[in-house]
Amino acid sequence: MSGDNNKHSNSSNPEIPGYVGFANLPNQVHRKSVKKGFEFTLMVVGETGLGKSTLVNSLFLTDLHPERVIPSASERIKQTVRIEPSTVEIEERGVKLRLTVVDTPGFGDAIDNTDCFKSIIQYIDEQFERFLRDESGLNRRNILDSRVHCCFYFVSPFGHGLKPLDIQFMKMLHNKVNIVPVIAKADILMKKELSRLKKRVLDEIEENGIKIYQLPDCDSDEDEDYKEQVKQLKQTIPFAVCGANTLIEVRGRKVRGRQYPWGVVEVENPDHCDFVKLRTMLITHMQDLQEVTGDVHYENYRSERLAKGTVSAANSRNNAVASHVQSTDDKSEKDKILQEKEAELQRMQKMLAQMHAQLKQQP
Ligand code: GDP
């Protein structure tokens, strides 16, 4: 996978194929963020070969890994987990999305997976740490948010549910990132097999106390179509997807699909797989995924760091504030800084209270 920034521009017409749909994001957020563009980081976790890269490329209609060499089985076993973030800027109707996809190849292949668990967790923590440091710095308004907002966890379609490895790893991840479970290569399963596998995966998630990302409940004044959409999305979890990078002609239309002797599995056909639903979930809940990351996962990390009393970043900020205060005789400047700190403390207290409330609600 190349770490280069690729630019990709989409047409603005929602009717034509190849339209992702994030141009509607402005409805969700403040105008300022629209001008700046959206920053979103998606992590994909799962065994090599489950179709992670193909799915991500299909989702964002762009090849994130143009020069990737697929390693042989023996290479994969030796391979340690390489964390490979790559960023693309996609533009739709003047709205920019800066999407970082963090691929974690090699996961699950090695006999001992301790190292790959560690490096994935470490990657997530490093982004929190960076944010904490930047947030504690003086230029807080222009922070680049590289925190992982969502993690597609790929479950193999070849098994009968979650593997012990999946359970172990999801438990390590669930307090750090929004997990969205995905059943890979859904096209190889019959409808019946698929619904059995979905149920099994959901049951195992519950039995093992794994916390996956919960779509927020709709407000009562929300419009009916939206309520219905959210209801359907909730019922679809775990999303059974299939990806493809090739365009095939079906009844005079070019579609993304996989050709089989008996026909074509169309990626974007809701009757064939949950690809469109997964994309809709991601796009319509991008802001919520960001908020949960900030308000729950990041605050978890931050309060742990504060509790440990080793917040070097916070200390350095205090030092910076102290020296700033010392070097200026301007009382109003001093008051402003104190007010800012006060407001920040209040914000933290509010978030902690929210977290407590959320924790209480969880079974
Ligand atoms: P990754 O290692 O998880 O990133 O997997 P890749 O995206 O490189 O895909 C591995 C292989 O599986 C490739 O040969 C793909 O063509 C194939 N593949 C990817 N997605 C699907 C899918 O949805 N269904 C099927 N049947 N094969 C797929």
Side-chain angles (χ1 to χ4, degrees):
M1 184 202 295
S2 84
D4 292 341
N5 281 12
N6 304 324
K7 277 221 173 202
H8 185 91
S9 230
N10 277 322
S11 162
S12 58
N13 187 348
E15 298 302 319
I16 65 154
Y19 177 79
V20 175
F22 65 82
N24 293 324
L25 275 172
N27 304 337
Q28 298 173 39
V29 285
H30 198 267
R31 272 210 343 260
K32 229 179 187 174
S33 0
V34 176
K35 218 169 106 193
K36 225 173 80 185
F38 295 91
E39 282 167 358
F40 194 87
T41 300
L42 172 71
M43 181 181 247
V44 284
V45 172
E47 291 165 40
T48 305
L50 283 185
K52 299 186 294 297
S53 329
T54 311
L55 185 91
V56 163
N57 291 342
S58 314
L59 269 176
F60 296 100
L61 313 169
T62 178
D63 193 359
L64 286 163
H65 325 96
E67 289 139 28
R68 196 168 77 136
V69 181
I70 297 171
S72 68
S74 59
E75 275 172 327
R76 274 192 247 145
I77 295 184
K78 275 188 254 143
Q79 195 181 16
T80 47
V81 173
R82 283 169 293 125
I83 307 280
E84 299 184 28
S86 66
T87 302
V88 281
E89 274 182 27
I90 321 176
E91 200 170 324
E92 231 174 58
R93 282 199 260 157
V95 179
K96 279 192 204 130
L97 172 67
R98 206 181 127 83
L99 171 81
T100 302
V101 177
V102 186
D103 205 349
T104 56
F107 167 64
D109 295 330
I111 294 160
D112 179 2
N113 285 293
T114 329
D115 280 351
C116 71
F117 284 0
K118 259 200 229 151
S119 44
I120 292 172
I121 300 277
Q122 193 183 342
Y123 182 87
I124 298 174
D125 280 347
E126 272 169 13
Q127 312 316 309
F128 282 150
E129 188 61 36
R130 179 190 289 188
F131 196 85
L132 182 64
R133 200 177 51 224
D134 289 355
E135 202 182 40
S136 315
L138 289 175
N139 191 15
R140 279 187 297 159
R141 275 188 191 89
N142 299 315
I143 302 177
L144 214 71
D145 183 5
S146 63
R147 295 172 299 181
V148 182
H149 301 110
C150 183
C151 168
F152 285 173
Y153 194 100
F154 281 64
V155 176
S156 168
F158 305 110
H160 297 286
L162 296 178
K163 295 181 179 174
L165 186 75
D166 293 326
I167 297 174
Q168 202 186 347
F169 195 36
M170 279 181 167
K171 280 182 155 178
M172 289 167 92
L173 285 173
H174 68 181
N175 285 325
K176 292 187 177 290
V177 67
N178 294 311
I179 300 179
V180 174
V182 163
I183 294 178
K185 298 188 175 178
D187 53 305
I188 68 153
L189 297 176
M190 314 273 281
K191 268 214 158 101
K192 244 187 181 164
E193 293 173 319
L194 194 58
S195 56
R196 210 179 304 142
L197 182 60
K198 275 191 172 196
K199 187 174 175 324
R200 184 77 187 259
V201 168
L202 265 194
D203 288 348
E204 286 176 335
I205 283 176
E206 206 184 316
E207 283 160 21
N208 289 284
I210 296 165
K211 289 175 271 172
I212 55 170
Y213 172 63
Q214 298 293 332
L215 290 168
D217 290 329
C218 296
D219 292 335
S220 51
D221 58 352
E222 213 78 65
D223 79 80
E224 290 305 318
D225 288 349
Y226 182 72
K227 279 187 196 163
E228 183 54 33
Q229 186 191 61
V230 174
K231 194 174 131 202
Q232 278 190 17
L233 291 178
K234 284 185 180 180
Q235 285 168 351
T236 309
I237 297 167
F239 298 91
V241 292
C242 91
N245 288 327
T246 38
L247 290 175
I248 301 173
E249 197 161 314
V250 178
R251 291 181 294 276
R253 278 182 312 131
K254 285 241 177 227
V255 295
R256 264 174 195 259
R258 305 193 77 84
Q259 180 88 58
Y260 285 97
W262 41 264
V264 174
V265 176
E266 294 171 36
V267 171
E268 299 192 40
N269 185 333
D271 294 331
H272 294 191
C273 77
D274 301 331
F275 174 89
V276 171
K277 287 203 180 91
L278 178 67
R279 190 171 65 188
T280 305
M281 188 285 300
L282 189 68
I283 301 299
T284 55
H285 288 81
M286 218 165 226
Q287 200 201 349
D288 188 63
L289 286 157
Q290 281 173 327
E291 279 175 11
V292 178
T293 303
D295 297 351
V296 181
H297 302 305
Y298 172 64
E299 284 309 319
N300 254 342
Y301 177 85
R302 190 156 106 133
S303 53
E304 254 175 47
R305 292 278 277 113
L306 288 170
K308 279 187 197 152
T310 53
V311 192
S312 54
N315 285 346
S316 66
R317 174 160 184 247
N318 285 346
N319 292 342
V321 171
S323 60
H324 187 69
V325 170
Q326 249 179 13
S327 67
T328 173
D329 289 328
D330 188 346
K331 190 170 174 301
S332 67
E333 184 65 13
K334 209 168 166 181
D335 285 344
K336 209 174 110 202
I337 293 168
L338 283 172
Q339 268 172 10
E340 260 185 32
K341 288 207 76 164
E342 184 69 38
E344 196 183 349
L345 272 171
Q346 278 178 5
R347 198 168 62 89
M348 273 178 62
Q349 276 168 351
K350 209 174 122 203
M351 282 175 177
L352 274 172
Q354 273 174 357
M355 272 171 58
H356 278 299
Q358 268 169 359
L359 282 173
K360 266 193 195 155
Q361 279 173 8
Q362 279 161 10

